[in-house]
Amino acid sequence: GQQLNQSPQSMFIQEGEDVSMNCTSSSIFNTWLWYKQDPGEGPVLLIALYKAGELTSNGRLTAQFGITRKDSFLNISASIPSDVGIYFCAGQLYTGANSKLTFGKGITLSVRP
Amino acid sequence: NAGVTQTPKFQVLKTGQSMTLQCAQDMNHEYMSWYRQDPGMGLRLIHYSVGAGITDQGEVPNGYNVSRSTTEDFPLRLLSAAPSQTSVYFCATGRDQPQHFGDGTRLSIL
């Protein structure tokens, strides 16, 4: 089956720093999505990307859909303590009525004050 | 997580018992799905539905049944609970992808 690779498993940064996370796949996707999960809660959709090469921002977050359709990155600028959480990438491939979403295993982000 | 309601929030079962996890949404979304989340495994798709009367299997469907008789509800049934099904279960809805997740059901099988 399709697999998404997110690494490293954990990242530690200083408050105010920028951080970039990559997500790669051996398969192509039509849609890339980035989610954040806080402890004890469900994931929250941050950014959705629908077109190869697309660059989208949401506040301090910027994400890009790779030209090859096999990768995406998420950038967080000027990190703050509430950015702490698990960040998941997900890829979706539409094949007729089939629209399964595959998630990466997530990156746990810690922000030191 | 307004709009997606999962019940119960916590449940402990004995091996072999059956139960239904409920998921209800009031956003008129066609797409509903169930995921399980285990440490180090991320989120894995169990079953999903693109509309009332239509369901399909995800990555890990064995041991689970679903039905979608209405747009609003998408229950997940465990037929005969096994310890390997101990997990946190999330329901997610959207127009055509999971945009809104519920708060999860934490399920332990003894």
Side-chain angles (χ1 to χ4, degrees):
Chain A
Q2 298 160 331
Q3 287 188 327
L4 294 185
N5 300 308
Q6 285 187 268
S7 65
Q9 255 189 324
S10 304
M11 299 181 80
F12 299 86
I13 60 173
Q14 200 74 33
E15 184 178 355
E17 287 182 341
D18 299 346
V19 62
S20 187
M21 304 177 190
N22 280 351
C23 188
T24 61
S25 170
S26 57
S27 308
I28 62 171
F29 290 105
N30 302 119
T31 301
W32 282 93
L33 303 130
W34 285 91
Y35 296 83
K36 181 192 177 207
Q37 184 178 28
D38 291 327
E41 297 183 12
V44 173
L45 180 64
L46 298 174
I47 292 180
L49 303 157
Y50 300 102
K51 195 174 168 183
E54 180 181 353
L55 185 72
T56 296
S57 293
N58 178 7
R60 293 179 296 106
L61 308 177
T62 302
Q64 184 156 32
F65 191 143
I67 287 290
T68 66
R69 295 169 63 193
K70 292 183 179 181
D71 63 335
S72 176
F73 77 76
L74 174 72
N75 234 47
I76 304 173
S77 62
S79 58
I80 59 178
S82 61
D83 290 334
V84 165
I86 304 176
Y87 290 81
F88 293 99
C89 65
Q92 188 168 24
L93 182 65
Y94 293 96
T95 55
N98 194 328
S99 60
K100 295 181 185 178
L101 196 70
T102 303
F103 278 81
K105 293 184 179 179
I107 294 175
T108 300
L109 179 67
S110 299
V111 179
R112 288 186 288 257
Chain B
N1 294 327
V4 181
T5 304
Q6 284 187 242
T7 55
K9 292 194 185 306
F10 302 93
Q11 184 71 48
V12 178
L13 292 178
K14 294 182 180 177
T15 297
Q17 285 185 313
S18 62
M19 82 159 292
T20 299
L21 279 62
Q22 302 290 346
C23 176
Q25 54 108 352
D26 59 3
M27 296 174 283
N28 204 33
H29 286 156
E30 294 294 332
Y31 184 94
M32 296 187 75
S33 53
W34 278 101
Y35 290 85
R36 59 177 290 173
Q37 185 174 29
D38 302 294
M41 301 294 290
L43 289 147
R44 292 183 291 170
L45 181 64
I46 305 172
H47 286 284
Y48 69 102
S49 168
V50 296
I54 306 169
T55 63
D56 203 350
Q57 295 182 347
E59 184 185 352
V60 288
N62 292 342
Y64 307 94
N65 268 3
V66 292
S67 60
R68 184 91 181 272
S69 54
T70 67
T71 300
E72 294 77 20
D73 300 295
F74 191 43
L76 178 73
R77 296 183 191 84
L78 278 71
L79 308 172
S80 178
S84 61
Q85 292 177 305
T86 293
S87 188
V88 181
Y89 291 84
F90 288 101
C91 175
T93 80
R95 281 189 310 166
D96 54 7
Q97 65 209 194
Q99 295 168 304
H100 303 275
F101 279 78
D103 285 334
T105 294
R106 283 143 187 86
L107 184 62
S108 293
I109 316 295
L110 305 177

